[in-house]
Amino acid sequence: YFTKSESGIFQGTMGKRALGIIVTDLNGNKITTGAAFGRFIGRILSGAFLGAGFAMAAITEKKQTLHDQMTKTLVVWQGDDERS
């Protein structure tokens, strides 16, 4: 579900769509199925150490979690022109 949704036409799950956010690569393009699968697997690592991989979003410049940094992806507001 996560892999297909994030690499698909809507660039996110139903929850992300409801919040108005999408998953992109570092250039603002749609991510590949491989990157989406990597994000899915990476979530296990992000949560493995008391959620430290998720908490990284609060301190990184581009607000990336561990699994976003691993797969070179971003979660941004839909229609946000500033994706750097």
Side-chain angles (χ1 to χ4, degrees):
Y1 168 75
F2 292 101
T3 300
K4 185 75 170 168
S5 297
E6 292 177 353
S7 64
I9 190 169
F10 295 112
Q11 293 178 263
T13 60
M14 288 191 302
K16 284 183 179 70
R17 289 176 55 197
L19 292 174
I21 56 180
I22 58 173
V23 181
T24 70
D25 67 9
L26 295 177
N27 297 317
N29 301 313
K30 192 173 86 160
I31 65 172
T32 64
T33 302
F37 184 71
R39 285 187 88 246
F40 174 72
I41 298 300
R43 284 188 192 101
I44 296 167
L45 292 175
S46 289
F49 301 103
L50 303 174
F54 291 105
M56 288 175 61
I59 60 171
T60 60
E61 181 181 339
K62 294 181 181 181
K63 306 298 183 206
Q64 290 175 290
T65 60
L66 177 62
H67 54 276
D68 286 325
Q69 288 184 340
M70 289 170 45
T71 57
K72 296 178 177 49
T73 59
L74 296 170
V75 177
V76 297
W77 294 108
Q78 189 171 8
D80 189 358
D81 291 336
E82 187 178 335
R83 297 182 183 175
S84 56

